[in-house]
Amino acid sequence: MSDSVNRVVLAYSGGLDTSVILKWLQQTYGCEVVTFTADLGQGEELEPARAKAELMGVKAEHIFIDDLREEFVADYVFPMMRANALYEGLYLLGTSIARPLIAKRQIEIARAVGADAVSHGATGKGNDQVRFELGYYALAPDIKVIAPWREWDLTSRTALIAFAEQHQIPVPKDKRGEAPFSTDANLLHTSSEGLVLEDPWEEVPDYVYSRTVNPEDAPETPETITIDFERGDGVALNGEGMSPATLLAALNELGRRHGIGRLDLVENRFVGMKSRGMYETPGGTIYHLAHRGIEQITLDRGAAHLKDELAPRYAELIYNGFWFSPEREMLQAAIDHSQAKVTGTVRLKLYKGAAHIVGRKSPHSLYSEKVVTFEDDQGAYDQRDAAGFIKLNALRLRLLGRRDR
Amino acid sequence: MSDSVNRVVLAYSGGLDTSVILKWLQQTYGCEVVTFTADLGQGEELEPARAKAELMGVKAEHIFIDDLREEFVADYVFPMMRANALYEGLYLLGTSIARPLIAKRQIEIARAVGADAVSHGATGKGNDQVRFELGYYALAPDIKVIAPWREWDLTSRTALIAFAEQHQIPVPKDKRGEAPFSTDANLLHTSSEGLVLEDPWEEVPDYVYSRTVNPEDAPETPETITIDFERGDGVALNGEGMSPATLLAALNELGRRHGIGRLDLVENRFVGMKSRGMYETPGGTIYHLAHRGIEQITLDRGAAHLKDELAPRYAELIYNGFWFSPEREMLQAAIDHSQAKVTGTVRLKLYKGAAHIVGRKSPHSLYSEKVVTFEDDQGAYDQRDAAGFIKLNALRLRLLGRRDR
Amino acid sequence: MSDSVNRVVLAYSGGLDTSVILKWLQQTYGCEVVTFTADLGQGEELEPARAKAELMGVKAEHIFIDDLREEFVADYVFPMMRANALYEGLYLLGTSIARPLIAKRQIEIARAVGADAVSHGATGKGNDQVRFELGYYALAPDIKVIAPWREWDLTSRTALIAFAEQHQIPVPKDKRGEAPFSTDANLLHTSSEGLVLEDPWEEVPDYVYSRTVNPEDAPETPETITIDFERGDGVALNGEGMSPATLLAALNELGRRHGIGRLDLVENRFVGMKSRGMYETPGGTIYHLAHRGIEQITLDRGAAHLKDELAPRYAELIYNGFWFSPEREMLQAAIDHSQAKVTGTVRLKLYKGAAHIVGRKSPHSLYSEKVVTFEDDQGAYDQRDAAGFIKLNALRLRLLGRRDR
Amino acid sequence: MSDSVNRVVLAYSGGLDTSVILKWLQQTYGCEVVTFTADLGQGEELEPARAKAELMGVKAEHIFIDDLREEFVADYVFPMMRANALYEGLYLLGTSIARPLIAKRQIEIARAVGADAVSHGATGKGNDQVRFELGYYALAPDIKVIAPWREWDLTSRTALIAFAEQHQIPVPKDKRGEAPFSTDANLLHTSSEGLVLEDPWEEVPDYVYSRTVNPEDAPETPETITIDFERGDGVALNGEGMSPATLLAALNELGRRHGIGRLDLVENRFVGMKSRGMYETPGGTIYHLAHRGIEQITLDRGAAHLKDELAPRYAELIYNGFWFSPEREMLQAAIDHSQAKVTGTVRLKLYKGAAHIVGRKSPHSLYSEKVVTFEDDQGAYDQRDAAGFIKLNALRLRLLGRRDR
């Protein structure tokens, strides 16, 4: 693989770090930089990124700003939610799930503009470098990947800012001092980590939260909502049909108001260390629970338990960056197969930092009041069958017991 | 196996149903009945059970009332909590985990008094019959098992009460009418199901809850607590050392006050139907989360992820009644092996229906601020290693990509 | 469910046992019997079954004799082989995989003739009753199932033969005495069990084998063959295109000649006991190995290892009779997804009781001589990447080691 | 981590490659080299290694030659065999399982002689570098690891030989030309790979095999043997008690004679590529099968199936070099727990390239002729129990069927 690069597509946020990278790429590799800025619902203006890129000499036709919100939710978040995926039992994978889409779009742009390289602003200690690069390599095996944080010598914030100033890159006031923590945001979540969060015994300071009110400040009265599902995916809130991104945004607003979806986690990174993060996933937390709720009445036990056994592996694959892998696709095929009848309505109560399922119904419900009832079931279930059922389930244990006890 | 029975040990609560069973066993089998009443922390007086049994002609030396609270928590609840077991993603298995202990003690008593049969009051539709009987058969393969609800013709409440009155069995006033739901309780949880809960779309009425206040009535101020763990098990609350049962009881009181641990669930029974239950697991909910918290810093990723993959199977085994099975014991051996260093302190905030981890520390922490820091790590981690790590993880994806994309 | 039956579809082999059942059904239930005889490649004339059924009063239009060989191999055997399924590590599931197809066809016929019941000749101790009946119930939840062996009192062979003679059912000479073992056969395998095989320490007598020569009598010279696969399924033998059933039949002939596919197994039945069986799966054994061979070069590691982890569960589902279950279908969806490029040719050597892979090639091979070579790989692989790969894989072990060792 | 090295422990075979490494380490790092040569049953004289090391200036007290055969089989091979581990369905892991023991002993020696580094002769493309180094790092997290093949510029055989001649390192005649393949051997197996084996379509030439006769040249008469197991491990051959290494050696001789244990495999390396290897595992192949045989009658189904599901993961961990990891130890704890009653005798027939189980017996057998018999079982099993068993297993499928079909 040659080291010479002609044209590189950079995942560009418009912020200080990726602006420095933009300049550094131009200088170090003497190459043309193409910028790609994705709207994944992070809630920032993206047009300033265009102005900045132009200012640094990026050609107008080489500045890509794409609204990927619907694709993000429909093709990445919802498929993952079908799996009830939780990393290490608690984390809804908000950062992990955005990376493959960015990588995919970057490769599409690289193809469109004839670029021979891609670049990103993730550091060498984190998971995101892995997620970006596994995506790049899976989709474009011979692409050149440039990860400036692993290459350059701008290893302190001071050096970075000096480089910026030297090259007329505007440095926002709040970046001059040491930022107290680092964040990532998209329509599904906001994560924060580093610095003030680095001692896992210390409580996360209140100012770190940006997407949710403190539960103590949430309304005194619970709010009850309904979410409708069709074939495993959310389609309506309180009876009003919505596109995937619209639905998630509406749930985010509800979650924000009720202080739902805060998570303080020490997790295991794929690169081998533990890190402490704080996540806010307001809408996703509600949606995840609602999906469990609709599955409770529409999935058969065999499907449900198999899903539960596959979910940790599936979550690990996404966390580690293997979205574009055959094994993730195989698991997805199994999971998607299970969702054909996951249709119906879930009712939830939101209150002071938590969501609770309070009801669920479905035209495809497998719940049978007639079978389960304590009252006369008119022959729907013959209790004597249970005797044989137990006897044969016990047979091997009895044979064991005779031998061992 | 002969049908004649000389002496039967009955799991006897002292309530109406098992009192009717006591009498029915005496009549139908013409056998001596030995009663066994366990204190598992259900919060009821047990001495009345002695009086009732005596009244129905059970010999004094055949009335067993045992306080099993410490054994229950230390040998059943805590080992299960080490696994972070959740049935169908949400349920803490409060009923399931009590059954094997009752079965075990019943068999011990059967041996002590020379009984040739055991009996229980679980119905033919539920999971408990399976759990009791798999326990009996595993521990005493040749015992005779009598499950009156599958045998007799007292299939309506009216018939049951008529039988009771006919045999001078006192019928509590509140049992005369149709009870609005059925419950089970022990130190870990209270479950409620049936009748008013049978429509899974209808919200659980407030009067069903007995172990927790409504979150809306919980204190306006959060309460912060600490739990200390040693080798995977809780040993202290707020720094005060406690026995297992004492600790769980104290957590129950905290959970009760803050409205923590309510769960409205539609679940899949082992016997093949769906049922809707309401569970209150106040202390267990807090403890479960705290255990996750201490594992976050003391378990290696390999151990943690293997545990997460094994947990659904483990939970299913307990739910289905296979506590005394080689496969549950194998999984327990694996899980217990992982807990050697799961020692330290977790800080939690309790507020309005939910618990949140807000800090954790351990003398055996694997979290390394030095490695993870965004700042200068003094060589603890070489970011360039990540390049090779990603390259080799990507190699197979690149070979695939060259072939397929 | 009413006990009255108007018309029952019987899985009818034409042999003594199912002829007795036919008569018994007519007598006991006073119902019309419809017979269904499937050609699954068991290698018996089926027309005599027609004559016998007519003799016992079955209407001509109620006698169904269907050649299901191609459907059997294409829709049941091959999908299972895609999974590399082995029950308990060794057994190729030859009996298990035939049952769902028979059940499915029986239900189709029941619908076509307006029958309200189905019946089979499997005993109450085996797995086949479960496999048949789970199939019936899954496909026709309200069908009445009659399992004569669990109902009647013809529990000894003497009683059975007496009943036959009393009702003018011809009793073959070799059935008069005690048969030395019991068999089941189809295109995939022949199984034998019972009686002379019941002591698992005693070697299986030579006369039990019917589908393979004794390896000692097999040719002195190895035979080399090729099998071509397309998308996971066999399509040609030695370059000659063949339908699924034709291919399996041709492999059976090869396996027979070389004494391949004998298995002496003690297995765990779903009903809770151990049994000892002898299986002959001549063609299936060769095919199974060949499929592994073609996967070796066409499947990515991620897909291959996930398949290996899912295979025991998949095999267990088929063995236990859950072919028509959501969880089997989910696993199948995952497995089938992996087979898109499993195309190519495997070369095998057959000799004296065993098959050996000796070569494999594919237009979709992922094997890269250029990457793997010990010689100069011209930059296809940078050995220095391995250093970082190992370092980060080791990181968590080093953190552990610092803590624990 | 400093790059200066004082004393390094080299895994030294005495062959050309590690002799060159020895000299290269002395030159490049200017450090003292300690050699460690392990007898793992590879069947070579080890004393010549001492002479060579001395010749290159290694101090007598720094030359370690250890007979690790018993430890290898008892503490590594046998525990792995308890798991019935097969990598990718076929490979008995003969190379993988030796590496952790070598790593462990190297670290022990490093501690004993106060070395600050370890080194090995594995290349940068293979799995062995990973296995060695993960072992080193797990046991001595701060050790310096030197992998010359990833560092030096002796990247062609010509360069290597030139270096050797320049430094008076004797070059064996057969190493002057291009060796036709590369091998690794120990008591469990011999592996061969590279060069003439690199085309996976080409049959392995006969001269590559060194541990087994060609099956065509094996005896015309089968040989029947017995192996006794105690608690999961082999203890006797044909009734004669033997130590672990003695037993494996004796089985190797039997396997050699009958041409058993040859495997031609294309496998997936941990470093991301596919490779083609040829393995000869004569005794291990027989032992593996025998262990399955004894488990068939002594393991309960629950334990057996759980083992089968865990085995692929366990095998992958060993293959990838994670012997000294918490997750391997957890799985081992589960597996070992299952072996308490795996005691008894297996009879096998060896013939022309294959082993076959022909009988098994145990004082702890769970096989019950009384229960399984086709004849009168005197009430050991009530066939009517099967009706209820099937009915409740079918219930969820019937509810599904009513909804979906």
Side-chain angles (χ1 to χ4, degrees), chain C residues 84-397:
Chain C
N84 305 322
L86 287 176
Y87 184 66
E88 302 192 340
L90 296 167
Y91 170 40
L92 283 159
L93 293 159
T95 299
S96 325
I97 193 62
R99 301 316 188 194
L101 172 54
I102 295 171
K104 190 199 83 163
R105 186 71 190 116
Q106 244 179 303
I107 295 300
E108 286 167 358
I109 292 170
R111 293 219 165 96
V113 302
D116 50 352
V118 285
S119 182
H120 62 76
T123 76
K125 275 196 178 174
N127 296 301
D128 284 334
Q129 57 175 341
V130 189
R131 295 168 189 151
F132 280 126
E133 298 179 29
L134 292 183
Y136 299 150
Y137 286 130
L139 301 171
D142 297 308
I143 199 86
K144 163 87 179 167
V145 175
I146 305 174
W149 282 101
R150 297 199 305 258
E151 292 188 23
W152 68 21
D153 49 5
L154 304 175
T155 48
S156 73
R157 190 127 292 261
T158 317
L160 194 81
I161 289 172
F163 182 96
E165 290 178 339
Q166 184 189 342
H167 295 88
Q168 284 81 48
I169 299 168
V171 180
K173 259 202 186 123
D174 65 341
K175 297 280 178 177
R176 288 200 178 267
E178 191 71 57
F181 56 91
S182 138
T183 67
D184 174 70
N186 59 47
L187 201 51
L188 181 55
H189 94 337
T190 294
S191 70
S192 305
E193 53 180 16
L195 304 163
V196 300
L197 304 177
E198 281 186 7
D199 178 352
W201 176 245
E202 288 304 316
E203 189 165 351
V204 174
D206 214 56
Y207 62 80
V208 175
Y209 297 95
S210 63
R211 291 274 286 267
T212 52
V213 306
N214 186 322
E216 297 169 50
D217 301 328
E220 298 300 318
T221 315
E223 182 168 2
T224 298
I225 64 166
T226 63
I227 303 178
D228 292 350
F229 287 86
E230 274 179 24
R231 302 180 62 84
D233 291 339
V235 295
L237 175 65
N238 294 326
E240 186 184 344
M242 291 183 184
S243 74
T246 315
L247 176 59
L248 185 52
L251 289 172
N252 278 336
E253 175 47 28
L254 287 165
R256 187 199 63 71
R257 195 191 312 158
H258 292 284
I260 291 169
R262 296 179 165 198
L263 174 67
D264 169 351
L265 183 72
V266 176
E267 79 202 44
N268 293 290
R269 287 192 187 155
F270 187 30
V271 292
M273 69 188 67
K274 289 185 181 291
S275 70
R276 197 262 195 108
M278 192 284 295
Y279 302 104
E280 291 173 276
T281 318
T285 299
I286 301 169
Y287 185 94
H288 174 87
L289 186 66
H291 185 262
R292 275 238 172 242
I294 191 62
E295 284 195 341
Q296 285 171 7
I297 52 170
T298 55
L299 273 197
D300 161 74
R301 183 183 70 204
H305 289 202
L306 179 57
K307 285 190 72 217
D308 282 349
E309 291 195 48
L310 299 178
R313 173 73 63 94
Y314 178 93
E316 183 185 63
L317 286 169
I318 292 180
Y319 185 87
N320 288 355
F322 289 91
W323 179 266
F324 297 110
S325 72
E327 62 271 32
R328 202 278 309 171
E329 290 170 6
M330 286 170 65
L331 291 175
Q332 195 73 55
I335 289 157
D336 289 355
H337 187 279
S338 72
Q339 302 290 296
K341 304 279 178 171
V342 178
T343 293
T345 304
V346 177
R347 190 160 54 194
L348 302 114
K349 190 177 271 186
L350 314 180
Y351 179 63
K352 290 277 189 188
H356 307 271
I357 300 169
V358 297
R360 65 298 262 168
K361 65 179 179 185
S362 167
H364 305 305
S365 177
L366 290 166
Y367 176 89
S368 166
E369 229 171 296
K370 195 177 144 206
V371 170
V372 79
T373 185
F374 279 16
E375 304 184 73
D376 184 3
D377 65 8
Q378 300 168 297
Y381 179 95
D382 185 343
Q383 302 211 11
R384 287 165 305 181
D385 288 340
F389 179 72
I390 295 169
K391 270 312 209 22
L392 293 205
N393 271 299
L395 180 52
R396 65 181 179 96
L397 302 179

Side-chain angles (χ1 to χ4, degrees), chain B residues 84-251:
Chain B
N84 304 323
L86 287 175
Y87 184 67
E88 302 191 341
L90 296 168
Y91 170 40
L92 283 160
L93 294 158
T95 300
S96 324
I97 192 62
R99 299 319 188 193
L101 171 55
I102 295 171
K104 190 198 83 164
R105 187 71 189 113
Q106 242 178 305
I107 295 299
E108 287 168 357
I109 292 170
R111 291 220 167 98
V113 303
D116 50 352
V118 285
S119 182
H120 63 75
T123 77
K125 274 193 177 177
N127 296 302
D128 284 333
Q129 57 175 340
V130 189
R131 296 168 187 149
F132 280 126
E133 298 179 29
L134 292 184
Y136 300 150
Y137 285 131
L139 300 171
D142 297 308
I143 200 86
K144 163 86 178 167
V145 175
I146 305 174
W149 282 100
R150 297 200 306 258
E151 291 187 26
W152 68 21
D153 49 4
L154 304 175
T155 50
S156 74
R157 189 129 292 262
T158 318
L160 195 80
I161 289 171
F163 182 96
E165 290 178 338
Q166 185 188 341
H167 294 88
Q168 283 81 48
I169 298 168
V171 180
K173 258 199 187 127
D174 65 341
K175 297 278 178 178
R176 287 198 179 270
E178 191 71 56
F181 55 91
S182 137
T183 66
D184 175 69
N186 59 47
L187 200 53
L188 181 55
H189 95 338
T190 294
S191 70
S192 305
E193 55 181 13
L195 304 162
V196 301
L197 304 177
E198 281 186 7
D199 179 351
W201 177 245
E202 289 304 316
E203 188 167 351
V204 174
D206 214 56
Y207 63 80
V208 175
Y209 298 95
S210 62
R211 290 274 286 264
T212 52
V213 306
N214 187 324
E216 298 170 49
D217 301 327
E220 296 302 316
T221 314
E223 181 167 3
T224 298
I225 63 165
T226 63
I227 303 178
D228 293 349
F229 287 87
E230 273 178 25
R231 303 181 62 86
D233 291 339
V235 295
L237 175 65
N238 294 326
E240 185 184 346
M242 290 183 185
S243 75
T246 314
L247 175 60
L248 185 52
L251 290 172

Side-chain angles (χ1 to χ4, degrees), chain D residues 95-137:
Chain D
T95 299
S96 326
I97 193 61
R99 300 320 189 190
L101 171 55
I102 294 171
K104 190 198 83 165
R105 186 72 189 114
Q106 245 178 302
I107 294 300
E108 286 168 358
I109 292 170
R111 293 221 166 96
V113 302
D116 50 353
V118 285
S119 183
H120 63 76
T123 78
K125 274 195 177 174
N127 296 302
D128 284 333
Q129 56 176 342
V130 190
R131 296 167 188 151
F132 280 126
E133 298 179 29
L134 293 184
Y136 300 151
Y137 286 131

Side-chain angles (χ1 to χ4, degrees), chain A residues 379-392, chain B residues 124 129 150 271, chain C residues 1 137, chain D residues 384-393 395 398:
Chain A
Y381 179 95
D382 184 343
Q383 302 212 11
R384 287 165 305 180
D385 287 339
F389 180 72
I390 295 170
K391 271 309 211 22
L392 293 205
Chain B
Q129 57 175 340
R150 297 200 306 258
V271 293
Chain C
M1 194 179 308
Y137 286 130
Chain D
R384 287 165 305 180
D385 287 338
F389 180 72
I390 296 169
K391 271 308 207 28
L392 293 205
N393 271 298
L395 180 52
R398 297 173 75 191

Side-chain angles (χ1 to χ4, degrees), chain A residues 205-223:
Chain A
D206 214 56
Y207 64 79
V208 175
Y209 297 95
S210 63
R211 290 274 286 265
T212 51
V213 307
N214 187 322
E216 298 170 48
D217 301 328
E220 297 300 317
T221 315
E223 181 168 2

Side-chain angles (χ1 to χ4, degrees), chain D residues 280-298:
Chain D
E280 291 172 276
T281 318
T285 300
I286 300 169
Y287 185 94
H288 174 87
L289 186 65
H291 185 261
R292 275 238 173 244
I294 191 63
E295 283 195 342
Q296 286 171 6
I297 51 169
T298 55

